[in-house]
Amino acid sequence: MVCVAVNGKPVLGVIHKPFSEYTAWAMVDGGSNVKARTSYNERTPRIVVSRSHSGMVKQVALQTFGNQTTIIPAGGAGYKVLALLDVPDKSQEKADLYIHVTYIKKWDICAGNAILKALGGHMTTLSGEEISYTGSDGIEGGLLASIRMNHQALVRKLPDLEKTGHK
């Protein structure tokens, strides 16, 4: 993955999948070779989550969106962002949301954030704050990534993990 951030804002992202030889790239106001899918399910979404750093995300997702919600454990932040998009790689799983509830390094999410921003999507902390790629090297508050959905409504729907102790 490669990301260029200007003044803390991600503007160019590249995610390469070497085994399938697929590369996705997008630049804010500069084009892309990838696009959003035509539809997403906000009611009972398929949610991609970290396989190795799941925290309480499965319980939070089921509590928030109901028992019909599908949880997809996966490795790699880039892979999880690609799961939200329309990519030609047939082995790529499809998800409606990407939720992460534990600490995550900014270098691991910048490229995906840039691609989502370029396509009109969002990646924020779980409390809806934009992620700045300056200062500290990670974020404590987890993240929510979506595209073609009401992102702020999704943020409001999630429980306050700081207060509930679900981190």
Side-chain angles (χ1 to χ4, degrees):
M1 293 186 291
V2 176
C3 181
V4 174
V6 177
N7 297 321
K9 297 182 186 315
V11 295
L12 171 68
V14 179
I15 300 172
H16 179 67
K17 293 177 70 177
F19 300 108
S20 64
E21 299 182 9
Y22 174 70
T23 302
W25 66 267
M27 183 174 177
V28 174
D29 298 325
S32 70
N33 74 335
V34 64
K35 62 185 178 183
R37 294 196 318 269
T38 55
S39 66
Y40 294 85
N41 185 343
E42 284 186 59
R43 267 193 102 107
T44 54
R46 293 176 50 84
I47 302 173
V48 66
V49 302
S50 175
R51 180 182 301 132
S52 57
H53 303 285
S54 61
M56 297 291 287
V57 71
K58 292 177 187 174
Q59 293 86 333
V60 168
L62 292 173
Q63 172 190 336
T64 303
F65 298 102
N67 290 334
Q68 299 303 311
T69 300
T70 302
I71 305 298
I72 306 165
Y79 181 89
K80 291 187 274 286
V81 168
L82 291 179
L84 303 179
L85 304 174
D86 184 11
V87 298
D89 182 356
K90 299 299 178 214
S91 67
Q92 177 69 54
E93 294 183 87
K94 303 285 186 220
D96 300 304
L97 296 173
Y98 168 20
I99 299 177
H100 190 90
V101 298
T102 60
Y103 180 84
I104 191 166
K105 298 278 191 176
K106 291 178 183 177
W107 57 261
D108 209 19
I109 60 173
C110 187
N113 194 345
I115 290 172
L116 285 172
K117 274 192 181 313
L119 299 175
H122 303 277
M123 181 183 287
T124 65
T125 65
L126 292 175
S127 59
E129 297 167 8
E130 292 295 322
I131 299 165
S132 174
Y133 293 89
T134 60
S136 69
D137 66 349
I139 56 170
E140 296 284 347
L143 68 83
L144 172 65
S146 70
I147 189 165
R148 290 198 176 167
M149 290 189 177
N150 184 336
H151 191 82
Q152 286 307 314
L154 293 167
V155 167
R156 286 189 300 274
K157 196 170 188 177
L158 288 169
D160 184 338
L161 298 180
E162 291 291 332
K163 291 180 184 168
T164 61
H166 278 115
K167 285 176 62 172

